[in-house]
Amino acid sequence: MSAPGINDFTLRVATVNGTGSASANGLLMKAIFRMGVPVVGKNIFPSNIQGLPTWYEIRVTGDGHAGRDGEIHFVIAMNPETYADDLASLAPGGVLLYDSTWPRPQLLSRPDVTVLGAPLSAMCNEAFKAARSRILMKNMAYVGAAAALLDLDLDVIKQLVTEMFAGKEKLIPLNMQAVELGRNYALQNFTCPLNFRTKPMEKAKGKIMIDGNTAAGLGMVYGGATFGAWYPITPSTSLMDAFQLYCDKLRVDADTGLHNYCILQAEDELAAAGLVIGASWAGARGFTPTSGPGISLMSEFIGFAYYTEVPLVICDIQRVGPSTGMPTRTQQCDIQLCAYASHGDTRHLVLYPAHPGECFEFAAMSLDLAERFQTPVFFLSDIDIGMNDWMVDELTWPEDYVPDRGKVLSAEDLEETKAFYRYLDVDGDAIPYRTLPGTHKKGAYFLRGSGHTKLGRYTEKGEEYKEVVDRLYDKWKRAAAFMPAPVVTPASRPARLGIIAIGSSDGAVREARDRLEAAGMPVDYMRIRGFPFSDEVAAFVEAHDEVFVVEQNRDAQLLGLIITETAAQKEKLTPVLHYSGEPLNYRFVYDAIENAVKVRKIA
Amino acid sequence: MTSFVKPKIRRKNEPLNDLGLARSDYDGAMSTLCAGCGHDSVTAALARAYFELSMDPKDVVKVSGIGCSSKTTTYFLRDAHGANTVHGRMPSFATGAAAVNGALSYVGVSGDGDSLSIGIGQMAHAIRRNVNMLYMLENNGVYGLTKGQFSASSDIGSTAKKGAANTLPPIDPAIFALSVGATFVARSFSGDRDQLVSIIKAGIKHRGFALIDVISPCVSFNDHKGSTKSYAHTYQYYHKAVHADYVPPSEEIVTSYEEGDVMPVELHDGGIIKLRKLDADYDPTDRAGAMDHLLRSQATSEILTGLLYIDESRPDMVEHKKLTDTPLHSIPYAKLNPGAEALRKVQEEFR
Ligand SMILES: Cc1ncc(C[n+]2csc(CCOP(=O)(O)OP(=O)(O)O)c2C)c(N)n1
Ligand code: SF4
Ligand SMILES: [Mg+2]
């Protein structure tokens, strides 16, 4: 596989949480992006505010891959506590840069890597007076050293520093001074640049760097959401932060100063669900962002919304479970939970965005689907998509977009109707009409989570009950046609092997697929984007001898769902499971499939 | 069992209100509660209050949790939208609905189990947000629907039907509501229709969260000797502290206030609540004083009733959140969509 080279390597910065390194790392990545070189950034951070180790990984990928590599070629080791791990993490031939103010001879234990020491703290302590600024300047100093070693464009860095300190211009020369300290030291003491490094390209035109939660929050604004409620939980908080930010900017009435939106911080997730269901029942387009623990708490209300047919959008930004799990690490572990959340026979609509671009698009789509089908819709993202910056196409919004508000009767409609029955399938499409409070006395009805007839009346009669829940099943099935279609990447020649994946696995899977094909193993790839599944899924399995279902959980949840919900033959499906909590990398997928193929050949 | 549609019978010469509606136009489905259940009297009082206020039923939204008490939202105002939600979670549902359309009048019906045990968190936060709604806590000291377990409002020493005495301290909804910032706290009794109707009217007209703790005996599980929530016990210890009358804006000018204990509280709709103190030293606008009286009455087993506390000055949720007057469901999409140029600008920082 690829060795590190020009615009093809992975850099990892190891720091301590709470030392202000995030902005320095963001600057590094942005600088490479501004040089027109595709990047993949992954923040691997602890559940802690200050003191625990944190890593920022930047993959520089001139070929434009979207996932992680799996190998690390350059480490900027700023956290003595993790020196040993950081040294061990390097691929042979790799380079480690550390702060040699305090020399560490044990770092020399690996003869196959190059260790570079730069006295960053000592230089910063000498140059800067304030203690807090010394720590921050040390971060800028390693940016400088990296700039020399990786041949980063200094003008680009200067421009970024200028933007970063807009309004605090005094800080610009100080920060640039720190950058220069690190850069000059590297230039004078090391062979610069390294043989793997950056080189300007033209591949970032029309692209932006954005995280999925920000894109989803923005998507909710453009999708016309007017109501949001949430209880803070990592990693979903930044979605509501974004919605709030853009609402404050873009949704305050200029004349009156009044808000065209309502955001409520709930007392817990049960309340968050109740708030959104109440608001949606009353006619607002609402949503709540949360993560696995929140879904567990919302379960009773989710079943209520399903059975009473109230639109409900829940964004689940998945994190590692069970229980509190590893709250800042990523997984796809709520696939089964979201498909069937709540007691009794319940099944929901689920969207699986794969990157921030789709987060933007699917946010609005989830609002449309919830209102069209009058049912809960899950927007199933994860930490990797939600909290990392991804290079994606600039977001655009279709000018002709009209929100799909579903079947809502107006006062005029009701005036003309003889009688309104909330759960009657008037059009034969399994979707009844609904009315909003305050519209018309003929539209009044009683919403209840207890047994009801198709006319909306209370019942304990089995046949009347069944009539309604059978229609609900029918309605759910019909929704399959409205979910975004699977994306198929075919091999360039007929393939007996296939891969199925969802969401954030996409980048790594696509790269693994490309490389397998290049190595003589053609594989077709289908990325599923919604549940209920399209019939294409079973057809894809049918068309292959073996299909690898790649997912990020222990229990093969997606594979299980495919077996339960499609006609796909179980024997053909092989799980490829990654659940360490770090974002998936292509080598993992490649190796798993290559090994499986080898084993089959021997057998 | 199915729900019974109550036949609509209008008697001759039935009085009509300003909308031309009769009292029976404020009815709902036939009650399926036990005969004599206090909750049915509360339902009747609610219907009467809306009738007397000449409110259009379609502009009222009824919400409830789960329990015998929570069932009653079907038994009045058949022409209003209603929702029977999940146990203890009505406040969040009501809050969401109330945020959408500030022009409607919201009434929540709950029980002591629904509100004080499983739902105490949600009730507290709806109070804190000062959601503009009437909140009826139909308090019988037991879980009626699950057949007679003690609820959190049971007094120490009150006995269950089978004889066991409650040993845990009660949660007094009025004290609790005051402590978390309620702007309207009242207590009444299902057996005192006049007081209940006038307090309900005041509660409907109060802008903000109006809690009415209504002692509403459960004849099946908590009306025996030894129970402190029985009809007999309530009659015996019932004490009226403040009487409240709602006076609509139109009548205001012609009403003259009697000297002495009458105290007018101006409402946001231009109407007035006339408070008549029955206890000379009770001031229903003094939060600490109200708390003091309530704590003392708890010690003497006296059931302090009336409008116990009112504060019209705090903004309700809609005002606090600066929501537009247009219901959230009717804001045109053109107003909600910031447009392509804004999207381009927003993305500058991502380049
Ligand atoms: C989640 C959940 N747990 C338990 C129940 C069972 N349950 C139904 S009503 C009720 C208590 C109702 O008591 P209260 O609110 O005082 O109403 P009452 O019947 O006394 O009017 C309980 C525990 C339920 N419906 N849902
Ligand atoms: S059980 Fe009690 S609370 Fe329930 S309906 Fe009967 S009397 Fe009323
Ligand atoms: Mg009760």
Side-chain angles (χ1 to χ4, degrees):
Chain A
M1 281 182 238
S2 74
I6 308 282
N7 288 340
D8 184 14
F9 63 91
T10 295
L11 148 71
R12 220 178 210 217
V13 187
T15 53
V16 179
N17 208 28
T19 53
S21 57
S23 40
N25 299 336
L27 183 96
L28 264 178
M29 181 158 78
K30 207 66 175 275
I32 301 169
F33 170 69
R34 287 257 178 109
M35 288 167 66
V37 184
V39 278
V40 176
K42 302 293 176 202
N43 191 7
I44 294 157
F45 62 104
S47 177
N48 157 271
I49 304 302
Q50 203 172 61
L52 286 183
T54 176
W55 291 271
Y56 197 75
E57 188 180 291
I58 301 169
R59 180 179 183 193
V60 180
T61 164
D63 290 340
H65 294 300
R68 292 173 73 215
D69 178 319
E71 273 194 354
I72 296 157
H73 310 105
F74 180 31
V75 171
I76 300 177
M78 302 303 287
N79 180 4
E81 259 188 57
T82 62
Y83 276 170
D85 286 346
D86 294 333
L87 185 67
S89 73
L90 274 170
V95 176
L96 182 139
L97 172 74
Y98 83 111
D99 186 351
S100 61
T101 307
W102 302 276
R104 299 283 169 138
Q106 72 270 31
L107 280 175
L108 302 175
S109 64
R110 262 188 78 178
D112 60 337
V113 304
T114 309
V115 173
L116 305 174
L120 301 173
S121 295
M123 293 190 300
C124 289
N125 290 351
E126 199 172 300
F128 305 102
K129 271 174 275 162
R132 174 70 190 166
S133 84
R134 283 172 179 172
I135 299 174
L136 295 175
M137 291 309 170
K138 189 174 74 172
N139 298 333
M140 295 310 278
Y142 74 64
V143 170
L149 288 163
L150 301 175
D151 212 5
L152 302 182
D153 186 332
L154 199 64
D155 289 338
V156 170
I157 292 177
K158 172 127 203 237
Q159 176 60 31
L160 284 166
V161 169
T162 308
E163 290 169 21
M164 204 153 115
F165 295 105
K168 292 178 256 175
E169 276 74 15
K170 271 205 321 253
L171 296 174
I172 298 170
L174 289 175
N175 278 274
M176 281 314 292
Q177 187 190 343
V179 169
E180 290 292 355
L181 276 179
R183 183 163 172 271
N184 289 336
Y185 186 90
L187 288 173
Q188 283 154 25
N189 295 280
F190 313 138
T191 318
C192 291
L194 299 172
N195 51 11
F196 56 86
R197 61 187 131 91
T198 60
K199 190 176 158 202
M201 297 177 102
E202 293 275 319
K203 287 203 173 172
K205 275 228 173 80
K207 306 276 183 188
I208 55 165
M209 297 287 305
I210 190 172
D211 65 78
N213 283 351
T214 301
L218 194 56
M220 290 297 180
V221 174
Y222 276 82
T226 48
F227 188 88
W230 96 118
Y231 185 75
I233 182 169
T234 304
S236 72
T237 303
S238 55
L239 200 164
M240 193 49 106
D241 288 346
F243 184 67
Q244 174 94 55
L245 174 81
Y246 295 122
C247 279
D248 289 349
K249 259 192 199 162
L250 306 168
R251 281 276 194 82
V252 177
D253 193 291
D255 301 328
T256 61
L258 296 177
H259 297 181
N260 288 321
Y261 61 94
C262 177
I263 299 174
L264 294 176
Q265 181 180 327
E267 53 270 29
D268 55 36
E269 286 87 347
L270 289 86
L275 286 162
V276 176
I277 295 170
S280 301
W281 175 68
R285 297 194 111 192
F287 71 98
T288 177
T290 186
S291 192
I295 307 283
S296 292
L297 285 182
M298 291 174 183
S299 284
E300 189 188 16
F301 251 140
I302 292 168
F304 175 78
Y306 170 78
Y307 190 36
T308 59
E309 302 182 64
V310 177
L312 168 65
V313 172
I314 299 178
C315 306
D316 177 3
I317 316 303
Q318 298 166 99
R319 62 188 223 181
V320 172
S323 190
T324 301
M326 298 196 285
T328 58
R329 302 301 155 98
T330 195
Q331 251 182 10
Q332 298 175 318
C333 50
D334 300 338
I335 298 171
Q336 295 263 352
L337 176 66
C338 291
Y340 306 121
S342 203
H343 58 278
D345 286 328
T346 50
R347 40 184 65 239
H348 311 298
L349 311 188
V350 190
L351 290 168
Y352 308 113
H355 53 75
E358 276 188 350
C359 287
F360 182 63
E361 186 191 343
F362 286 10
M365 192 187 291
S366 61
L367 297 168
D368 283 344
L369 287 167
E371 289 202 309
R372 167 175 279 265
F373 290 99
Q374 304 172 16
T375 199
V377 173
F378 289 87
F379 170 100
L380 195 58
S381 172
D382 61 25
I383 290 190
D384 185 10
I385 304 171
M387 293 190 71
N388 286 318
D389 281 333
W390 293 56
M391 189 178 92
V392 294
D393 291 340
E394 188 175 321
L395 307 176
T396 54
W397 189 248
E399 233 164 76
D400 54 353
Y401 172 79
V402 179
D404 183 351
R405 307 296 319 259
K407 297 184 189 177
V408 182
L409 295 176
S410 66
E412 296 75 51
D413 296 335
L414 285 162
E415 192 60 51
E416 282 165 25
T417 337
K418 240 174 70 209
F420 162 70
Y421 297 108
R422 174 65 181 89
Y423 298 114
L424 200 60
D425 183 6
V426 179
D427 300 332
D429 61 356
I431 305 171
Y433 285 84
R434 63 183 188 122
T435 58
L436 307 181
T439 309
H440 193 287
K441 94 180 207 184
K442 277 205 231 161
Y445 72 98
F446 200 76
L447 187 84
R448 63 179 104 234
S450 47
H452 45 267
T453 70
K454 64 182 173 191
L455 302 183
R457 305 222 170 94
Y458 182 87
T459 189
E460 294 179 9
K461 285 189 185 143
E463 285 313 310
E464 291 180 340
Y465 159 83
K466 278 168 63 184
E467 213 175 351
V468 173
V469 292
D470 287 347
R471 179 182 53 75
L472 287 179
Y473 185 78
D474 185 27
K475 180 174 82 166
W476 174 82
K477 283 215 84 136
R478 286 165 184 260
F482 291 80
M483 307 307 288
V487 179
V488 177
T489 312
S492 57
R493 53 204 161 99
R496 340 180 273 107
L497 300 181
I499 305 177
I500 288 179
I502 59 168
S504 66
S505 304
D506 186 52
V509 169
R510 265 192 291 134
E511 183 172 359
R513 197 216 68 83
D514 291 351
R515 292 183 188 269
L516 283 164
E517 180 164 331
M521 283 172 279
V523 194
D524 298 324
Y525 165 40
M526 168 179 274
R527 176 163 70 86
I528 297 174
R529 300 198 297 169
F531 179 75
F533 297 135
S534 126
D535 291 341
E536 285 181 56
V537 175
F540 182 83
V541 177
E542 180 68 41
H544 294 90
D545 293 348
E546 181 169 14
V547 173
F548 296 92
V549 183
V550 180
E551 52 186 312
Q552 299 173 50
N553 58 70
R554 183 194 66 185
D555 290 349
Q557 296 189 24
L558 176 62
L559 188 150
L561 205 56
I562 292 172
I563 291 173
T564 320
E565 299 289 349
T566 73
Q569 302 105 300
K570 187 178 171 176
E571 307 70 42
K572 286 190 174 183
L573 302 178
T574 304
V576 175
L577 306 172
H578 182 273
Y579 48 95
S580 64
E582 287 198 13
L584 188 63
N585 65 72
Y586 87 83
R587 281 175 212 266
F588 181 89
V589 181
Y590 184 100
D591 292 348
I593 294 176
E594 189 191 41
N595 285 341
V597 171
K598 270 192 205 146
V599 171
R600 305 280 186 284
K601 276 196 182 135
I602 297 165
Chain B
M1 190 192 74
T2 46
S3 60
F4 298 100
V5 183
K6 203 166 172 177
K8 220 171 155 176
I9 310 160
R10 194 175 273 191
R11 278 171 281 121
K12 244 198 244 166
N13 303 327
E14 216 179 333
L16 303 179
N17 64 14
D18 291 353
L19 295 179
L21 297 175
R23 161 65 188 77
S24 58
D25 292 322
Y26 291 79
D27 281 335
M30 198 91 88
S31 170
T32 58
L33 302 185
C34 307
C37 175
H39 300 345
D40 279 335
S41 311
V42 183
T43 301
L46 279 163
R48 172 148 297 277
Y50 287 106
F51 163 71
E52 287 184 4
L53 288 173
S54 293
M55 289 180 66
D56 188 344
K58 91 160 187 8
D59 293 331
V60 178
V61 178
K62 309 169 293 178
V63 287
S64 58
I66 298 291
C68 296
S69 34
S70 293
K71 286 185 178 187
T72 63
T73 32
T74 29
Y75 308 149
F76 64 100
L77 264 60
R78 67 167 78 76
D79 292 334
H81 268 70
N84 209 180
T85 65
V86 293
H87 195 21
R89 319 297 174 196
M90 168 268 278
S92 63
F93 184 99
T95 303
V100 175
N101 191 345
L104 304 180
S105 179
Y106 298 84
V107 53
V109 180
S110 179
D112 42 328
D114 197 60
S115 280
L116 301 179
S117 290
I118 192 167
I120 193 162
Q122 294 215 341
M123 182 173 84
H125 290 278
I127 292 173
R128 290 183 62 233
R129 291 190 186 99
N130 206 22
V131 178
N132 190 9
M133 71 184 291
L134 171 68
Y135 193 100
M136 303 296 292
L137 199 163
E138 302 185 356
N139 189 347
N140 53 17
V142 288
Y143 293 1
L145 194 59
T146 51
K147 306 200 167 182
Q149 300 82 3
F150 283 126
S151 82
S153 71
S154 295
D155 295 302
I156 291 181
S158 186
T159 58
K161 215 175 172 183
K162 286 184 182 153
N166 172 51
T167 51
L168 296 176
I171 299 173
D172 177 335
I175 294 176
F176 176 72
L178 267 182
S179 74
V180 293
T183 53
F184 182 111
V185 179
R187 176 142 51 222
S188 189
F189 173 35
S190 64
D192 185 348
R193 190 188 88 158
D194 289 348
Q195 187 201 42
L196 185 54
V197 170
S198 65
I199 284 182
I200 289 174
K201 283 159 66 178
I204 291 170
K205 290 298 175 179
H206 168 68
R207 198 199 46 174
F209 192 96
L211 172 76
I212 307 181
D213 174 30
V214 194
I215 310 300
S216 174
C218 167
V219 291
S220 294
F221 299 109
N222 207 16
D223 198 32
H224 47 272
K225 199 161 184 288
S227 156
T228 62
K229 291 282 191 293
S230 65
Y231 281 108
H233 186 277
T234 309
Y235 279 121
Q236 190 181 343
Y237 289 92
Y238 196 56
H239 179 87
K240 296 185 186 190
V242 188
H243 183 80
D245 269 323
Y246 170 71
V247 185
S250 51
E251 285 173 38
E252 188 190 333
I253 310 121
V254 294
T255 315
S256 64
Y257 305 115
E258 302 139 49
E259 287 298 308
D261 290 341
V262 172
M263 191 170 161
V265 175
E266 231 176 284
L267 301 179
H268 289 265
D269 73 343
I272 272 175
I273 293 175
K274 258 197 322 175
L275 297 171
R276 194 148 36 86
K277 296 194 226 170
L278 305 172
D279 282 354
D281 64 336
Y282 193 100
D283 177 0
T285 61
D286 170 12
R287 185 166 175 239
M291 192 70 113
D292 185 56
H293 271 83
L294 280 162
L295 287 169
R296 282 177 206 285
S297 73
Q298 217 175 23
T300 60
S301 301
E302 194 178 65
I303 304 167
L304 209 59
T305 67
L307 209 182
L308 302 170
Y309 179 70
I310 183 162
D311 171 10
E312 279 292 298
S313 68
R314 252 188 66 201
D316 76 336
M317 178 181 68
V318 167
E319 184 185 344
H320 183 245
K321 299 299 288 184
K322 296 193 180 135
L323 302 186
T324 81
D325 299 333
T326 317
L328 293 181
H329 57 66
S330 292
I331 305 172
Y333 179 64
K335 262 197 165 175
L336 299 176
N337 173 11
E341 177 55 21
L343 185 58
R344 207 192 49 73
K345 266 212 179 120
V346 158
Q347 293 181 84
E348 263 159 25
E349 64 166 309
F350 306 129
R351 267 181 275 263

